[in-house]
Amino acid sequence: MTQAPDPQPGTTAAQRPPTRTTKANRGALLGAMFLMATSAIGPGFITQTTVFTAQLGAAFAFAILVSIIVDITVQLNVWRVIGVSGMRAQDLANRVIPGFGYVLAALVVFGGLVFNIGNIGGTGLGANAMVGADAKIGGAISALIAIAIFVSKRAGVAMDRIVVVLGVLMICMVAYAAVATHPPYGEALTQTVLPDKVDFLIITTLVGGTVGGYITYAGAHRIVDSGITGPEQVAAISRGSVTGILVTGIMRGLLFLAILGVVVGGADLVGVDNPPATAFEAALGQVGLHIFGVILWAASITSVIGASYTSVSFLTTFSTTINRYRQWVVVGFILVSAAIYLSLGQTPSTLLILAGALNGLILPFGFGILIWIALRRRDLLGGYDYPKWLAYLGLAVFLLTVYLGYESFSGIVDLWK
């Protein structure tokens, strides 16, 4: 990225001069917020929300609430530890347990690749629903668009602006659908706190699809690359992390309401090849199918950007060569993802759900290290007095993610079958 010089790998906040919140930094912070949000809002996000709404009905609202609470706690800690230290997650992991950063990077990159295959598949399906293009051709063209963004002279600025514009577009279109389908708002509100059914696998999958795997670090690594680091930036960093999750939560809630209205209206979404497309077409007719195409394409292309950028950010500090040719490594990552998608054809809904569930299992590995730093390694935070309440809340959520992962492991095995 060329927007701001990268901090020196392995340095702490105390070893670098303080940064100031300039107009450029505010733009980069907004871009980081939406990069995190739109990384989460991909084809898997849309598929998960549709499938789980069809399965649980209004009771799915409780799973959304729990996932948002967990997500906010995770990102508050992740952004603060990484932002204050000025170090990427893998560097911090290596400081705590030598070599563990490589393990974390391997897990994140693998999860990012699986997700990116689905993301490119989503762009193809979106293009098909939007303008009737062949899904493979649409996916290939979309991959080239993503590559063009990264090879542009001002790649950082281009990425920040595109994810913001497309993020706002998606929310507006889903909000329209949420009103047009006339969902039972009262029942959804009641089931938010008093659900008829609770499903651990679904909650784990939502958490994994929103803050698991590479998504955990998308926004945080972006602020490091933009130079928005150090204790003096804590207020801005905290606002950015919470706002990004709230954007994701709003999108999830609106999409849930839109699909719930369709389900209550009698549409059967269980077992169909493309549940979200079926839902939008059932609610709004042919126009709804085109609207869905725009939403899916926007969600998918922004997730391609987020997955590629963040996955490669885990590799750059391990090799000066990779760091020097970073944007071309990103291009290669996109090309590999596209090639696998084109060889597989359309990405099954089960693969997208499985990717989210696997990312939910990956989440505790890196998050546990960051919580340990918050509690015990102030030296990596430049002496910053980390709020105990936030660290212990993060510890509680870490234990919850371990428990949820354990409870849902058998379900993930079944999905793999």
Side-chain angles (χ1 to χ4, degrees):
M1 298 297 101
T2 57
Q3 180 175 339
D6 284 359
Q8 290 299 314
T11 61
T12 64
Q15 297 171 309
R16 291 191 302 275
T19 58
R20 293 179 296 173
T21 303
T22 63
K23 182 177 180 180
N25 279 350
R26 286 192 293 271
L29 185 63
L30 181 65
M33 287 161 34
F34 272 87
L35 180 67
M36 177 181 71
T38 56
S39 291
I41 305 170
F45 177 101
I46 295 173
T47 301
Q48 291 165 11
T49 304
T50 304
V51 171
F52 295 151
T53 301
Q55 291 177 2
L56 297 182
F60 182 49
F62 175 77
I64 294 175
L65 176 64
V66 173
S67 70
I68 290 175
I69 293 172
V70 173
D71 295 344
I72 288 176
T73 303
V74 169
Q75 289 295 0
L76 267 174
N77 280 285
V78 169
W79 278 50
R80 186 168 300 208
V81 171
I82 291 177
V84 170
S85 70
M87 299 171 63
R88 299 186 183 98
Q90 70 272 20
D91 296 318
L92 289 168
N94 275 335
R95 289 292 191 93
V96 176
I97 305 175
F100 190 79
Y102 296 97
V103 177
L104 178 61
L107 290 171
V108 170
V109 172
F110 172 74
L113 179 63
V114 173
F115 244 107
N116 221 30
I117 296 167
N119 293 336
I120 293 177
T123 63
L125 293 176
N128 176 262
M130 186 168 49
V131 297
D134 178 82
K136 288 189 175 182
I137 294 176
I141 293 175
S142 300
L144 293 177
I145 291 173
I147 288 172
I149 293 170
F150 282 105
V151 299
S152 64
K153 291 184 178 180
R154 302 188 66 194
V157 174
M159 181 176 69
D160 291 339
R161 291 178 179 174
I162 286 170
V163 295
V164 171
V165 171
L166 292 180
V168 172
L169 175 65
M170 283 188 289
I171 290 175
C172 290
M173 299 192 81
V174 174
Y176 167 73
V179 173
T181 59
H182 305 292
Y185 300 106
E187 183 182 0
L189 183 61
T190 300
Q191 297 262 3
T192 301
V193 292
L194 297 172
D196 292 335
K197 181 180 179 181
V198 176
D199 190 306
F200 287 111
L201 175 59
I202 285 178
I203 294 175
T204 303
T205 302
L206 290 188
V207 172
T210 309
V211 294
Y214 76 91
I215 304 169
T216 310
Y217 312 101
H221 280 199
R222 182 70 189 120
I223 62 173
V224 169
D225 287 347
S226 299
I228 307 173
T229 58
E232 69 281 357
Q233 296 286 355
V234 163
I237 289 170
S238 297
R239 284 196 305 271
S241 62
V242 173
T243 304
I245 287 298
L246 290 179
V247 169
T248 307
I250 289 170
M251 180 68 175
R252 176 91 71 183
L254 291 172
L255 183 58
F256 157 69
L257 289 173
I259 302 302
L260 182 62
V262 174
V263 172
V264 172
D268 184 8
L269 304 180
V270 178
V272 300
D273 291 335
N274 194 339
T278 302
F280 274 80
E281 187 172 18
L284 304 171
Q286 192 65 28
V287 173
L289 186 61
H290 293 309
I291 290 176
F292 164 74
V294 174
I295 294 171
L296 181 60
W297 186 85
S300 301
I301 193 72
T302 52
S303 291
V304 170
I305 293 170
S308 304
Y309 169 81
T310 309
S311 296
V312 171
S313 76
F314 271 84
L315 302 175
T316 54
T317 53
F318 298 150
S319 168
T320 55
T321 301
I322 292 177
N323 196 39
R324 186 179 306 116
Y325 299 103
R326 178 174 178 174
Q327 67 185 50
W328 296 109
V329 178
V330 173
V331 169
F333 189 85
I334 296 173
L335 288 175
V336 169
S337 304
I340 295 175
Y341 161 68
L342 292 174
S343 66
L344 292 177
Q346 294 186 1
T347 306
S349 299
T350 301
L351 177 60
L352 297 173
I353 296 174
L354 175 63
L358 288 174
N359 272 354
L361 292 181
I362 294 172
L363 173 60
F365 286 90
F367 187 55
I369 290 290
L370 298 183
I371 293 301
W372 177 258
I373 292 170
L375 289 169
R376 298 295 183 185
R377 294 296 303 270
R378 289 183 58 190
D379 58 304
L380 296 177
L381 302 176
Y384 170 68
D385 188 15
Y386 203 93
K388 294 296 184 184
W389 68 268
L390 181 59
Y392 283 114
L393 184 60
L395 178 61
V397 167
F398 164 71
L399 295 174
L400 176 63
T401 61
V402 173
Y403 173 71
L404 290 175
Y406 171 79
E407 287 290 330
S408 64
F409 183 75
S410 60
I412 293 175
V413 172
D414 291 338
L415 281 176
W416 188 263
K417 295 176 183 177

